[in-house]
């Protein structure tokens, strides 16, 4: 599957979802867990998942599974 570039609106969305997940689950933004979370969120968005609720659910699941 081709990965699409991330536009500014999507980047803002990713930042919101990432920040919320880190705050709710006390993830240090400089940690390997945060880096993995960010990578997975970006990859998911690039593959076409740009719905905030879906990305938030993914972030929640990832944060709980660490």
């Amino acid at each position: 599957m081709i990965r699409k570039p991330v536009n500014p609106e999507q980047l803002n969305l990713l930042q919101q979802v990432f920040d919320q997940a880190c705050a709710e689950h006390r993830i240090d933004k400089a940690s390997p867990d945060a880096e993995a979370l960010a990578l997975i969120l970006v990859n998911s968005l690039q593959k076409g998942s740009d719905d905030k609720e879906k990305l938030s659910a993914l972030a929640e699941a990832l944060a709980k599974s660490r």
Side-chain angles (χ1 to χ4, degrees):
M1 180 174 276
I2 297 174
R3 293 188 183 167
K4 302 173 188 171
V6 177
N7 69 40
E9 288 176 7
Q10 291 171 320
L11 189 59
N12 187 37
L13 171 65
L14 285 172
Q15 187 70 57
Q16 289 175 18
V17 171
F18 177 79
D19 288 346
Q20 182 179 353
C22 288
E24 286 180 8
H25 296 280
R26 294 180 177 89
I27 299 171
D28 180 350
K29 290 183 182 179
S31 71
D33 283 343
E35 185 176 335
L37 174 61
L39 263 172
I40 291 168
L41 288 173
V42 170
N43 285 336
S44 181
L45 187 131
Q46 286 178 320
K47 291 177 182 175
S49 180
D50 62 358
D51 179 75
K52 184 174 184 175
E53 285 73 33
K54 287 181 183 176
L55 289 171
S56 293
L58 174 61
E60 179 76 13
L62 291 167
K64 285 182 176 180
S65 70
R66 65 187 174 101

